[in-house]
Amino acid sequence: MAAAASAPAALYGRLNRASTRGFLAYVAAGAACAAVLACFVISSSDPAAHAAAAANGALRLSSRSTRVWPDLEFNWRLVVATVVGFLGSAFGTVGGVGGGGIFVPLLNLVLGFDTKSAAALSKCMIMGASASSVWYNLQVSHPTKEAPVIDYKLALLFQPMLMLGITIGVELSVVFPYWLITVLIIILFIGTSSRSFYKGILMWKDETRILMETQERDAQSKSDCAANDVVFDPSYAEPLLPQHKPTQKSGLETLWFNLSWKNILVLMTVWSSFLVLQILKNNTQTCSTFYWVINILQIPAAVSVFLWKAMELCRDSRARRMNGNLECVCEASIEWSPAQLIFCAFCGLLGGTVGGLLGSGGGFILGPLLLELGCIPQVASATATFVMMFSSSLSVVEFYFLGRFPLPYAGYLIFISILAGFWGQCLVRKIVHVLKRASLIVFILSSVIFASALTMGVVGTEKSIAMINNHEYMGFLGFCE
């Protein structure tokens, strides 16, 4: 029974290092192709058109677009946005990716919001769905062992770098041309979705094999019992048998067990530090000395927390190996080393940068990354959603002070997302429990990422074609202009 119980953990704990290196090579090659294409576009652009665009104030059109806020009224647009937003929030939080790649085009094309307002409202939807999902996950037990379903160590490792990456992504969104952002997002999303789908197929096959072996053992035990001539009441002998049942907890006991106040306090400290720095930066003149000082201060704030948690993971991992204990120090079944930690820091920055460029919570990178590190789907989804709750709420508070979204629409969309996040988690987790197919979470994750690649690709291509037809400047934009 113990071996059977540990089978899922061993199944999802394998890390395919060769495929991970292949995926990183794919991302690097895609980024190199995008850079070459950018150089070609810039070199072929007309300097005179560039100067004219700068003189007309159209050079930073993407960052200074006109604010468009439609009224909150019942019509077919609101119905479509409600249905698609509900489904996107439900499946996005189950997969641990948020759904920003679906929300931004939805708010922009269907409801008619401008791009910056759509990104701000997308953060509101991600925050609502993530908060309700975290509340649900705090009331469920870990599927394979006596531990919280949210891995706080991994959350503390990735959250600071994710927030730093979001700041970098927001700054780059001012400089990068829209078509280049679209190309980079499509390359990254197709790679992560295909990789996640491949892992889902492998998990499905292994789950099928485990289920077949379990059924064969049950059938064999039943046949052995039928061949026995002695029949007795099993309830009579039950008190004499050793009991190895997992500890049963009430809902309140599970909630308190899943809460780690020390780690949550550290996360809140990081969140508050970034919020103060962001508010100071937004009230400072762009490109002034104080502006750059505030930007630079975010680096030690993020790196210090990351290094503290990284050193703790390294010490725990080394101590357990020296004592002959092969149990993982956290859900990620890897050997914590400087190379692995640099890889995690890079992925956290990459996820945050994509989130800043796109207006999402960074889960499009963090969700697949946690699966790649060996986390089981339930823990990967719960941990990624927990981290996204902090990153998205930071952006929402910042956007509120900047007046980037209308409060009636934000309240309505947050309410829809809260319902979707809770019921999506509840429904999918029940299906996983009945079918014993945790790979369904991975398939949902890859599907949401692929759908985001399609929507962002269509919207980006349409806008890029319109810019070409209007003879707009297609190169990099000036940050301080």
Side-chain angles (χ1 to χ4, degrees), residues 207-235:
E207 286 168 344
T208 302
R209 176 180 55 81
I210 292 175
L211 289 174
M212 292 180 63
E213 292 176 355
T214 303
Q215 292 174 357
E216 291 177 0
R217 285 197 301 268
D218 292 342
Q220 183 65 31
S221 61
K222 289 181 180 179
S223 62
D224 293 342
C225 291
N228 193 350
D229 294 333
V230 180
V231 179
F232 61 94
D233 185 7
S235 61

PDB file of all heavy atoms in Angstrom, residues 207-235:
ATOM      1  N   GLU A 207      -0.385   6.988 -16.019  1.00  0.00           N
ATOM      2  CA  GLU A 207      -1.578   6.812 -15.188  1.00  0.00           C
ATOM      3  C   GLU A 207      -2.390   5.618 -15.661  1.00  0.00           C
ATOM      4  O   GLU A 207      -2.931   4.850 -14.845  1.00  0.00           O
ATOM      5  CB  GLU A 207      -2.432   8.084 -15.240  1.00  0.00           C
ATOM      6  CG  GLU A 207      -1.853   9.245 -14.455  1.00  0.00           C
ATOM      7  CD  GLU A 207      -2.560  10.552 -14.753  1.00  0.00           C
ATOM      8  OE1 GLU A 207      -3.281  10.624 -15.760  1.00  0.00           O
ATOM      9  OE2 GLU A 207      -2.370  11.506 -13.978  1.00  0.00           O
ATOM     10  N   THR A 208      -2.488   5.444 -16.976  1.00  0.00           N
ATOM     11  CA  THR A 208      -3.205   4.282 -17.522  1.00  0.00           C
ATOM     12  C   THR A 208      -2.537   2.987 -17.095  1.00  0.00           C
ATOM     13  O   THR A 208      -3.209   2.021 -16.697  1.00  0.00           O
ATOM     14  CB  THR A 208      -3.263   4.370 -19.056  1.00  0.00           C
ATOM     15  OG1 THR A 208      -3.897   5.591 -19.443  1.00  0.00           O
ATOM     16  CG2 THR A 208      -4.023   3.196 -19.645  1.00  0.00           C
ATOM     17  N   ARG A 209      -1.224   2.965 -17.143  1.00  0.00           N
ATOM     18  CA  ARG A 209      -0.502   1.757 -16.731  1.00  0.00           C
ATOM     19  C   ARG A 209      -0.716   1.470 -15.245  1.00  0.00           C
ATOM     20  O   ARG A 209      -0.952   0.320 -14.854  1.00  0.00           O
ATOM     21  CB  ARG A 209       0.995   1.938 -17.030  1.00  0.00           C
ATOM     22  CG  ARG A 209       1.864   0.781 -16.553  1.00  0.00           C
ATOM     23  CD  ARG A 209       3.321   1.043 -16.878  1.00  0.00           C
ATOM     24  NE  ARG A 209       3.771   2.317 -16.336  1.00  0.00           N
ATOM     25  CZ  ARG A 209       4.145   2.491 -15.077  1.00  0.00           C
ATOM     26  NH1 ARG A 209       4.091   1.476 -14.214  1.00  0.00           N
ATOM     27  NH2 ARG A 209       4.568   3.676 -14.664  1.00  0.00           N
ATOM     28  N   ILE A 210      -0.654   2.517 -14.408  1.00  0.00           N
ATOM     29  CA  ILE A 210      -0.838   2.322 -12.966  1.00  0.00           C
ATOM     30  C   ILE A 210      -2.251   1.844 -12.663  1.00  0.00           C
ATOM     31  O   ILE A 210      -2.469   0.947 -11.826  1.00  0.00           O
ATOM     32  CB  ILE A 210      -0.525   3.627 -12.220  1.00  0.00           C
ATOM     33  CG1 ILE A 210       0.966   3.943 -12.312  1.00  0.00           C
ATOM     34  CG2 ILE A 210      -0.944   3.534 -10.761  1.00  0.00           C
ATOM     35  CD1 ILE A 210       1.343   5.274 -11.720  1.00  0.00           C
ATOM     36  N   LEU A 211      -3.258   2.415 -13.347  1.00  0.00           N
ATOM     37  CA  LEU A 211      -4.641   1.994 -13.122  1.00  0.00           C
ATOM     38  C   LEU A 211      -4.854   0.543 -13.533  1.00  0.00           C
ATOM     39  O   LEU A 211      -5.554  -0.217 -12.844  1.00  0.00           O
ATOM     40  CB  LEU A 211      -5.597   2.915 -13.890  1.00  0.00           C
ATOM     41  CG  LEU A 211      -5.754   4.339 -13.351  1.00  0.00           C
ATOM     42  CD1 LEU A 211      -6.606   5.174 -14.295  1.00  0.00           C
ATOM     43  CD2 LEU A 211      -6.374   4.318 -11.963  1.00  0.00           C
ATOM     44  N   MET A 212      -4.250   0.139 -14.647  1.00  0.00           N
ATOM     45  CA  MET A 212      -4.383  -1.254 -15.097  1.00  0.00           C
ATOM     46  C   MET A 212      -3.720  -2.202 -14.106  1.00  0.00           C
ATOM     47  O   MET A 212      -4.271  -3.275 -13.787  1.00  0.00           O
ATOM     48  CB  MET A 212      -3.780  -1.415 -16.486  1.00  0.00           C
ATOM     49  CG  MET A 212      -4.549  -0.699 -17.581  1.00  0.00           C
ATOM     50  SD  MET A 212      -3.810  -0.905 -19.221  1.00  0.00           S
ATOM     51  CE  MET A 212      -3.952  -2.679 -19.422  1.00  0.00           C
ATOM     52  N   GLU A 213      -2.549  -1.821 -13.606  1.00  0.00           N
ATOM     53  CA  GLU A 213      -1.876  -2.677 -12.620  1.00  0.00           C
ATOM     54  C   GLU A 213      -2.687  -2.771 -11.332  1.00  0.00           C
ATOM     55  O   GLU A 213      -2.786  -3.849 -10.725  1.00  0.00           O
ATOM     56  CB  GLU A 213      -0.484  -2.124 -12.327  1.00  0.00           C
ATOM     57  CG  GLU A 213       0.482  -2.232 -13.500  1.00  0.00           C
ATOM     58  CD  GLU A 213       1.817  -1.591 -13.195  1.00  0.00           C
ATOM     59  OE1 GLU A 213       1.936  -0.973 -12.096  1.00  0.00           O
ATOM     60  OE2 GLU A 213       2.735  -1.684 -14.024  1.00  0.00           O
ATOM     61  N   THR A 214      -3.291  -1.664 -10.927  1.00  0.00           N
ATOM     62  CA  THR A 214      -4.126  -1.682  -9.718  1.00  0.00           C
ATOM     63  C   THR A 214      -5.340  -2.578  -9.902  1.00  0.00           C
ATOM     64  O   THR A 214      -5.711  -3.346  -8.995  1.00  0.00           O
ATOM     65  CB  THR A 214      -4.569  -0.254  -9.367  1.00  0.00           C
ATOM     66  OG1 THR A 214      -3.406   0.573  -9.212  1.00  0.00           O
ATOM     67  CG2 THR A 214      -5.375  -0.244  -8.079  1.00  0.00           C
ATOM     68  N   GLN A 215      -5.988  -2.498 -11.061  1.00  0.00           N
ATOM     69  CA  GLN A 215      -7.149  -3.350 -11.329  1.00  0.00           C
ATOM     70  C   GLN A 215      -6.769  -4.825 -11.357  1.00  0.00           C
ATOM     71  O   GLN A 215      -7.521  -5.684 -10.876  1.00  0.00           O
ATOM     72  CB  GLN A 215      -7.795  -2.934 -12.653  1.00  0.00           C
ATOM     73  CG  GLN A 215      -8.447  -1.568 -12.614  1.00  0.00           C
ATOM     74  CD  GLN A 215      -8.943  -1.126 -13.977  1.00  0.00           C
ATOM     75  OE1 GLN A 215      -8.750  -1.830 -14.978  1.00  0.00           O
ATOM     76  NE2 GLN A 215      -9.588   0.042 -14.033  1.00  0.00           N
ATOM     77  N   GLU A 216      -5.604  -5.124 -11.914  1.00  0.00           N
ATOM     78  CA  GLU A 216      -5.149  -6.519 -11.937  1.00  0.00           C
ATOM     79  C   GLU A 216      -4.883  -7.040 -10.534  1.00  0.00           C
ATOM     80  O   GLU A 216      -5.234  -8.187 -10.209  1.00  0.00           O
ATOM     81  CB  GLU A 216      -3.888  -6.637 -12.801  1.00  0.00           C
ATOM     82  CG  GLU A 216      -4.137  -6.423 -14.287  1.00  0.00           C
ATOM     83  CD  GLU A 216      -2.849  -6.470 -15.085  1.00  0.00           C
ATOM     84  OE1 GLU A 216      -1.771  -6.664 -14.447  1.00  0.00           O
ATOM     85  OE2 GLU A 216      -2.899  -6.330 -16.311  1.00  0.00           O
ATOM     86  N   ARG A 217      -4.290  -6.206  -9.677  1.00  0.00           N
ATOM     87  CA  ARG A 217      -4.048  -6.635  -8.299  1.00  0.00           C
ATOM     88  C   ARG A 217      -5.362  -6.851  -7.554  1.00  0.00           C
ATOM     89  O   ARG A 217      -5.497  -7.806  -6.783  1.00  0.00           O
ATOM     90  CB  ARG A 217      -3.181  -5.602  -7.578  1.00  0.00           C
ATOM     91  CG  ARG A 217      -1.715  -5.615  -7.968  1.00  0.00           C
ATOM     92  CD  ARG A 217      -0.875  -4.885  -6.939  1.00  0.00           C
ATOM     93  NE  ARG A 217      -1.313  -3.503  -6.792  1.00  0.00           N
ATOM     94  CZ  ARG A 217      -0.806  -2.482  -7.477  1.00  0.00           C
ATOM     95  NH1 ARG A 217       0.152  -2.706  -8.354  1.00  0.00           N
ATOM     96  NH2 ARG A 217      -1.247  -1.258  -7.293  1.00  0.00           N
ATOM     97  N   ASP A 218      -6.316  -5.947  -7.773  1.00  0.00           N
ATOM     98  CA  ASP A 218      -7.617  -6.108  -7.107  1.00  0.00           C
ATOM     99  C   ASP A 218      -8.322  -7.375  -7.563  1.00  0.00           C
ATOM    100  O   ASP A 218      -8.911  -8.109  -6.752  1.00  0.00           O
ATOM    101  CB  ASP A 218      -8.501  -4.881  -7.388  1.00  0.00           C
ATOM    102  CG  ASP A 218      -7.968  -3.626  -6.718  1.00  0.00           C
ATOM    103  OD1 ASP A 218      -7.142  -3.761  -5.787  1.00  0.00           O
ATOM    104  OD2 ASP A 218      -8.373  -2.516  -7.132  1.00  0.00           O
ATOM    105  N   ALA A 219      -8.258  -7.628  -8.867  1.00  0.00           N
ATOM    106  CA  ALA A 219      -8.899  -8.839  -9.381  1.00  0.00           C
ATOM    107  C   ALA A 219      -8.219 -10.093  -8.837  1.00  0.00           C
ATOM    108  O   ALA A 219      -8.879 -11.083  -8.499  1.00  0.00           O
ATOM    109  CB  ALA A 219      -8.865  -8.838 -10.907  1.00  0.00           C
ATOM    110  N   GLN A 220      -6.882 -10.063  -8.719  1.00  0.00           N
ATOM    111  CA  GLN A 220      -6.153 -11.205  -8.199  1.00  0.00           C
ATOM    112  C   GLN A 220      -6.481 -11.447  -6.724  1.00  0.00           C
ATOM    113  O   GLN A 220      -6.672 -12.590  -6.289  1.00  0.00           O
ATOM    114  CB  GLN A 220      -4.648 -10.971  -8.361  1.00  0.00           C
ATOM    115  CG  GLN A 220      -3.775 -12.129  -7.907  1.00  0.00           C
ATOM    116  CD  GLN A 220      -3.981 -13.364  -8.758  1.00  0.00           C
ATOM    117  OE1 GLN A 220      -4.287 -13.261  -9.944  1.00  0.00           O
ATOM    118  NE2 GLN A 220      -3.839 -14.537  -8.141  1.00  0.00           N
ATOM    119  N   SER A 221      -6.590 -10.361  -5.942  1.00  0.00           N
ATOM    120  CA  SER A 221      -6.909 -10.519  -4.526  1.00  0.00           C
ATOM    121  C   SER A 221      -8.328 -11.052  -4.339  1.00  0.00           C
ATOM    122  O   SER A 221      -8.579 -11.864  -3.440  1.00  0.00           O
ATOM    123  CB  SER A 221      -6.752  -9.181  -3.810  1.00  0.00           C
ATOM    124  OG  SER A 221      -7.644  -8.218  -4.341  1.00  0.00           O
ATOM    125  N   LYS A 222      -9.253 -10.627  -5.188  1.00  0.00           N
ATOM    126  CA  LYS A 222     -10.623 -11.130  -5.092  1.00  0.00           C
ATOM    127  C   LYS A 222     -10.696 -12.606  -5.429  1.00  0.00           C
ATOM    128  O   LYS A 222     -11.415 -13.381  -4.785  1.00  0.00           O
ATOM    129  CB  LYS A 222     -11.544 -10.327  -6.017  1.00  0.00           C
ATOM    130  CG  LYS A 222     -11.795  -8.904  -5.546  1.00  0.00           C
ATOM    131  CD  LYS A 222     -12.726  -8.177  -6.505  1.00  0.00           C
ATOM    132  CE  LYS A 222     -12.976  -6.744  -6.032  1.00  0.00           C
ATOM    133  NZ  LYS A 222     -13.861  -6.009  -6.971  1.00  0.00           N
ATOM    134  N   SER A 223      -9.931 -13.019  -6.439  1.00  0.00           N
ATOM    135  CA  SER A 223      -9.929 -14.444  -6.799  1.00  0.00           C
ATOM    136  C   SER A 223      -9.301 -15.293  -5.699  1.00  0.00           C
ATOM    137  O   SER A 223      -9.761 -16.407  -5.426  1.00  0.00           O
ATOM    138  CB  SER A 223      -9.173 -14.644  -8.117  1.00  0.00           C
ATOM    139  OG  SER A 223      -7.820 -14.249  -7.985  1.00  0.00           O
ATOM    140  N   ASP A 224      -8.273 -14.747  -5.055  1.00  0.00           N
ATOM    141  CA  ASP A 224      -7.654 -15.486  -3.952  1.00  0.00           C
ATOM    142  C   ASP A 224      -8.628 -15.635  -2.787  1.00  0.00           C
ATOM    143  O   ASP A 224      -8.699 -16.686  -2.145  1.00  0.00           O
ATOM    144  CB  ASP A 224      -6.377 -14.781  -3.489  1.00  0.00           C
ATOM    145  CG  ASP A 224      -5.290 -14.832  -4.549  1.00  0.00           C
ATOM    146  OD1 ASP A 224      -5.389 -15.679  -5.467  1.00  0.00           O
ATOM    147  OD2 ASP A 224      -4.360 -14.008  -4.473  1.00  0.00           O
ATOM    148  N   CYS A 225      -9.380 -14.584  -2.495  1.00  0.00           N
ATOM    149  CA  CYS A 225     -10.358 -14.639  -1.405  1.00  0.00           C
ATOM    150  C   CYS A 225     -11.485 -15.615  -1.737  1.00  0.00           C
ATOM    151  O   CYS A 225     -11.996 -16.314  -0.865  1.00  0.00           O
ATOM    152  CB  CYS A 225     -10.931 -13.252  -1.150  1.00  0.00           C
ATOM    153  SG  CYS A 225      -9.735 -12.096  -0.434  1.00  0.00           S
ATOM    154  N   ALA A 226     -11.898 -15.663  -3.009  1.00  0.00           N
ATOM    155  CA  ALA A 226     -12.964 -16.575  -3.402  1.00  0.00           C
ATOM    156  C   ALA A 226     -12.531 -18.032  -3.290  1.00  0.00           C
ATOM    157  O   ALA A 226     -13.350 -18.921  -3.028  1.00  0.00           O
ATOM    158  CB  ALA A 226     -13.414 -16.268  -4.832  1.00  0.00           C
ATOM    159  N   ALA A 227     -11.236 -18.292  -3.476  1.00  0.00           N
ATOM    160  CA  ALA A 227     -10.753 -19.674  -3.382  1.00  0.00           C
ATOM    161  C   ALA A 227     -10.559 -20.136  -1.952  1.00  0.00           C
ATOM    162  O   ALA A 227     -10.365 -21.327  -1.690  1.00  0.00           O
ATOM    163  CB  ALA A 227      -9.418 -19.809  -4.133  1.00  0.00           C
ATOM    164  N   ASN A 228     -10.639 -19.234  -0.998  1.00  0.00           N
ATOM    165  CA  ASN A 228     -10.442 -19.593   0.407  1.00  0.00           C
ATOM    166  C   ASN A 228     -11.729 -20.200   0.960  1.00  0.00           C
ATOM    167  O   ASN A 228     -12.811 -19.660   0.785  1.00  0.00           O
ATOM    168  CB  ASN A 228     -10.060 -18.323   1.188  1.00  0.00           C
ATOM    169  CG  ASN A 228      -9.537 -18.664   2.576  1.00  0.00           C
ATOM    170  OD1 ASN A 228      -9.623 -19.804   3.022  1.00  0.00           O
ATOM    171  ND2 ASN A 228      -8.992 -17.666   3.249  1.00  0.00           N
ATOM    172  N   ASP A 229     -11.607 -21.335   1.643  1.00  0.00           N
ATOM    173  CA  ASP A 229     -12.794 -22.016   2.176  1.00  0.00           C
ATOM    174  C   ASP A 229     -13.284 -21.374   3.459  1.00  0.00           C
ATOM    175  O   ASP A 229     -14.454 -21.529   3.822  1.00  0.00           O
ATOM    176  CB  ASP A 229     -12.481 -23.494   2.442  1.00  0.00           C
ATOM    177  CG  ASP A 229     -12.196 -24.245   1.158  1.00  0.00           C
ATOM    178  OD1 ASP A 229     -12.727 -23.814   0.105  1.00  0.00           O
ATOM    179  OD2 ASP A 229     -11.463 -25.241   1.221  1.00  0.00           O
ATOM    180  N   VAL A 230     -12.423 -20.670   4.198  1.00  0.00           N
ATOM    181  CA  VAL A 230     -12.793 -20.088   5.477  1.00  0.00           C
ATOM    182  C   VAL A 230     -13.369 -18.701   5.224  1.00  0.00           C
ATOM    183  O   VAL A 230     -12.733 -17.857   4.599  1.00  0.00           O
ATOM    184  CB  VAL A 230     -11.578 -19.994   6.426  1.00  0.00           C
ATOM    185  CG1 VAL A 230     -11.992 -19.376   7.753  1.00  0.00           C
ATOM    186  CG2 VAL A 230     -10.992 -21.386   6.635  1.00  0.00           C
ATOM    187  N   VAL A 231     -14.564 -18.454   5.694  1.00  0.00           N
ATOM    188  CA  VAL A 231     -15.230 -17.168   5.530  1.00  0.00           C
ATOM    189  C   VAL A 231     -15.446 -16.582   6.920  1.00  0.00           C
ATOM    190  O   VAL A 231     -15.967 -17.247   7.802  1.00  0.00           O
ATOM    191  CB  VAL A 231     -16.578 -17.320   4.798  1.00  0.00           C
ATOM    192  CG1 VAL A 231     -17.255 -15.966   4.661  1.00  0.00           C
ATOM    193  CG2 VAL A 231     -16.362 -17.966   3.438  1.00  0.00           C
ATOM    194  N   PHE A 232     -15.061 -15.329   7.119  1.00  0.00           N
ATOM    195  CA  PHE A 232     -15.270 -14.690   8.409  1.00  0.00           C
ATOM    196  C   PHE A 232     -15.668 -13.237   8.164  1.00  0.00           C
ATOM    197  O   PHE A 232     -15.519 -12.691   7.069  1.00  0.00           O
ATOM    198  CB  PHE A 232     -14.002 -14.765   9.287  1.00  0.00           C
ATOM    199  CG  PHE A 232     -12.819 -14.067   8.669  1.00  0.00           C
ATOM    200  CD1 PHE A 232     -12.540 -12.754   8.979  1.00  0.00           C
ATOM    201  CD2 PHE A 232     -11.988 -14.748   7.782  1.00  0.00           C
ATOM    202  CE1 PHE A 232     -11.466 -12.110   8.412  1.00  0.00           C
ATOM    203  CE2 PHE A 232     -10.908 -14.109   7.215  1.00  0.00           C
ATOM    204  CZ  PHE A 232     -10.639 -12.796   7.526  1.00  0.00           C
ATOM    205  N   ASP A 233     -16.187 -12.653   9.198  1.00  0.00           N
ATOM    206  CA  ASP A 233     -16.633 -11.264   9.118  1.00  0.00           C
ATOM    207  C   ASP A 233     -15.418 -10.343   9.216  1.00  0.00           C
ATOM    208  O   ASP A 233     -14.715 -10.343  10.228  1.00  0.00           O
ATOM    209  CB  ASP A 233     -17.601 -10.978  10.267  1.00  0.00           C
ATOM    210  CG  ASP A 233     -18.191  -9.574  10.176  1.00  0.00           C
ATOM    211  OD1 ASP A 233     -17.941  -8.905   9.149  1.00  0.00           O
ATOM    212  OD2 ASP A 233     -18.899  -9.182  11.123  1.00  0.00           O
ATOM    213  N   PRO A 234     -15.113  -9.541   8.167  1.00  0.00           N
ATOM    214  CA  PRO A 234     -13.925  -8.680   8.225  1.00  0.00           C
ATOM    215  C   PRO A 234     -14.007  -7.620   9.311  1.00  0.00           C
ATOM    216  O   PRO A 234     -12.987  -7.165   9.802  1.00  0.00           O
ATOM    217  CB  PRO A 234     -13.870  -8.046   6.822  1.00  0.00           C
ATOM    218  CG  PRO A 234     -15.208  -8.270   6.212  1.00  0.00           C
ATOM    219  CD  PRO A 234     -15.819  -9.448   6.891  1.00  0.00           C
ATOM    220  N   SER A 235     -15.225  -7.224   9.694  1.00  0.00           N
ATOM    221  CA  SER A 235     -15.342  -6.196  10.732  1.00  0.00           C
ATOM    222  C   SER A 235     -14.880  -6.715  12.085  1.00  0.00           C
ATOM    223  O   SER A 235     -14.473  -5.955  12.946  1.00  0.00           O
ATOM    224  CB  SER A 235     -16.798  -5.721  10.821  1.00  0.00           C
ATOM    225  OG  SER A 235     -17.640  -6.808  11.174  1.00  0.00           O
TER     226      SER A 235
END
